[in-house]
């Protein structure tokens, strides 16, 4: 028979343990500073991942997107400008929960050619603000401890996304830097928290990085065009052709958190496997002495 308070003490002990595990060592900090990314295995438990998947399933089941708002998400530059870069549904999604779809899942009238739950590319960009499950994950004690160990003084959440990477046709993400879309002055103030809700493998589209590529600035920026312009966004600069031999694959197990520097170059391949590669990701910005570009 448990003593009164024993369950509470066990819970508190578990919380203290997980928070201490989230604090980075000096060697981990050094590796992150050198490579621009860092893999933290076992950051979330299997139960925590299952709770996230259950909640996202409920959100998808309640999805209701009118045909005129059904946007096929792409990371190819011209398609970015023509699709999400020219629609209010995407551009005004920063404080909402909205749905974006894979290429080729609609007919000419906007009707689904595949089951809706299999058609989603991602959900964004304010799960952290409007959904209690994702708010809890984003602002958990161990996430706060991790931010503190990185030296953040005034971290703010810029956006959040749930990425599905659907089996058989989950779209590739071309090489890019997050700061191209989340630009600050000075640079080096944006950090991605990428959580594998399912195993990410070579077969289903794990992340690939160019280690050390975060030290050379930003090659291009996506900015808002002047009011009334079509498309509503444009790019300053261009993404250089990257040597594929420089990329290092980063397969990780479910529950792993990958820290991503805002300027490190990374990508993922198309998922042609039978397994999805779901992930929850959000971006933090150090707000102290930082200017968030009004052109973002």
């Amino acid at each position: 028979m448990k003593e009164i308070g024993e369950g509470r003490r066990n819970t508190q002990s578990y919380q203290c343990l997980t928070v201490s595990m989230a604090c980075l060592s000096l060697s981990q900090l050094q590796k992150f500073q050198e490579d621009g990314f860092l893999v933290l295995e076992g950051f979330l438990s299997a139960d925590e991942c299952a709770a996230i998947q259950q909640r996202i399933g409920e959100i998808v089941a309640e999805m209701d997107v009118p045909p005129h708002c059904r946007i096929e998400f792409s990371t190819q530059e011209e398609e970015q400008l023509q699709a999400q870069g020219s629609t209010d549904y995407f551009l005004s999604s920063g404080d909402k929960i909205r749905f974006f779809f894979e290429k080729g899942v609609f007919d000419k009238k906007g009707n689904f050619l595949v089951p809706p739950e299999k058609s989603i590319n991602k959900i964004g960009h304010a799960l952290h603000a409007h959904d209690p499950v994702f708010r809890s994950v984003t602002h958990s004690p161990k996430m706060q401890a991790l931010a503190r160990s990185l030296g953040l003084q005034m971290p703010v959440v810029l956006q959040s996304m749930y990425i599905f990477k659907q089996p058989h046709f989950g779209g590739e993400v071309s090489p890019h830097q997050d700061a191209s879309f989340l630009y600050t002055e000075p640079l080096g103030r944006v950090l991605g928290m990428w959580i594998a809700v399912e195993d990410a493998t070579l077969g289903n589209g794990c992340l690939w990085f160019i280690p050390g590529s975060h030290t050379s600035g930003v090659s291009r920026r996506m900015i808002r065009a002047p009011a009334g312009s079509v498309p509503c966004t444009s790019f300053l600069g261009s993404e250089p052709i990257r040597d594929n031999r420089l990329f290092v694959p980063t397969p990780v197990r479910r529950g792993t958190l990958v820290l991503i520097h805002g300027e490190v170059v990374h990508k993922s391949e198309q998922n042609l496997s039978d397994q999805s590669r779901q992930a929850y990701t959000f971006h933090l910005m150090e707000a102290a002495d930082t200017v968030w570009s009004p052109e973002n």
Side-chain angles (χ1 to χ4, degrees):
M1 185 174 179
K2 291 183 178 180
E3 295 180 9
I4 295 174
E6 182 181 343
R8 181 181 298 175
R9 286 199 299 272
N10 288 341
T11 301
Q12 290 174 338
S13 297
Y14 173 74
Q15 290 175 337
C16 290
L17 176 62
T18 54
V19 167
S20 66
M21 290 171 62
C23 297
L24 300 182
S25 65
L26 290 177
S27 61
Q28 286 175 315
L29 283 169
Q30 182 177 0
K31 185 165 180 57
F32 177 64
Q33 291 163 0
E34 290 174 353
D35 293 344
F37 69 98
L38 182 68
V39 174
L40 301 175
E41 295 181 346
F43 193 86
L44 292 190
S45 67
D47 287 344
E48 288 172 312
C49 290
I52 290 173
Q53 287 186 288
Q54 178 179 340
R55 180 58 189 141
I56 209 68
E58 295 167 352
I59 292 173
V60 170
E62 298 169 359
M63 174 180 66
D64 182 17
V65 182
H68 70 280
C69 293
R70 293 174 183 174
I71 299 170
E72 294 182 349
F73 186 82
S74 173
T75 62
Q76 301 300 318
E77 185 166 308
E78 288 303 316
E79 293 175 348
Q80 280 182 313
L81 296 178
Q82 293 172 7
Q84 58 260 34
S86 294
T87 58
D88 182 70
Y89 184 80
F90 180 85
L91 293 174
S92 64
S93 65
D95 59 351
K96 301 173 182 67
I97 297 176
R98 287 185 170 171
F99 305 84
F100 308 98
F101 300 91
E102 293 288 354
K103 290 191 288 185
V105 299
F106 301 122
D107 64 17
K108 292 182 179 180
K109 296 182 179 180
N111 299 311
F112 288 100
L113 296 172
V114 298
E117 68 275 11
K118 298 295 184 182
S119 67
I120 305 174
N121 175 290
K122 73 173 187 177
I123 298 175
H125 290 93
L127 286 161
H128 65 281
H130 296 301
D131 185 84
V133 171
F134 287 95
R135 185 186 305 122
S136 177
V137 172
T138 306
H139 298 282
S140 68
K142 57 186 172 184
M143 201 68 75
Q144 294 181 39
L146 177 58
R148 283 193 295 270
S149 71
L150 286 161
L152 299 180
Q153 301 299 312
M154 294 177 59
V156 296
V157 183
L158 299 175
Q159 65 171 15
S160 56
M161 299 176 285
Y162 196 90
I163 303 169
F164 289 82
K165 205 75 164 178
Q166 301 283 1
H168 305 300
F169 57 81
E172 71 167 321
V173 177
S174 57
H176 68 284
Q177 299 166 289
D178 291 342
S180 293
F181 310 94
L182 308 170
Y183 189 79
T184 63
E185 293 181 357
L187 288 171
R189 301 306 182 95
V190 171
L191 177 69
M193 303 281 198
W194 190 97
I195 301 169
V197 182
E198 297 179 315
D199 290 349
T201 67
L202 288 171
N204 69 5
C206 69
L207 296 173
W208 294 65
F209 292 92
I210 299 181
S213 57
H214 60 300
T215 60
S216 302
V218 176
S219 58
R220 66 170 182 160
R221 289 179 56 199
M222 189 182 200
I223 63 170
R224 294 206 178 223
S229 299
V230 178
C232 302
T233 56
S234 62
F235 280 101
L236 293 178
S238 60
E239 193 69 29
I241 297 175
R242 309 282 185 182
D243 185 347
N244 279 328
R245 294 173 297 180
L246 298 176
F247 283 93
V248 174
T250 312
V252 296
R253 293 188 176 187
R254 183 187 197 191
T256 298
L257 184 147
V258 183
L259 290 174
I260 304 175
H261 190 285
E263 284 109 74
V264 72
V265 178
H266 57 291
K267 67 173 185 175
S268 65
E269 302 293 345
Q270 186 177 17
N271 181 11
L272 299 177
S273 77
D274 296 331
Q275 303 296 321
S276 59
R277 192 229 64 189
Q278 295 184 13
Y280 174 58
T281 181
F282 63 92
H283 288 89
L284 295 177
M285 180 186 75
E286 171 57 82
D289 301 317
T290 303
V291 177
W292 170 254
S293 174
E295 295 178 315
N296 286 336

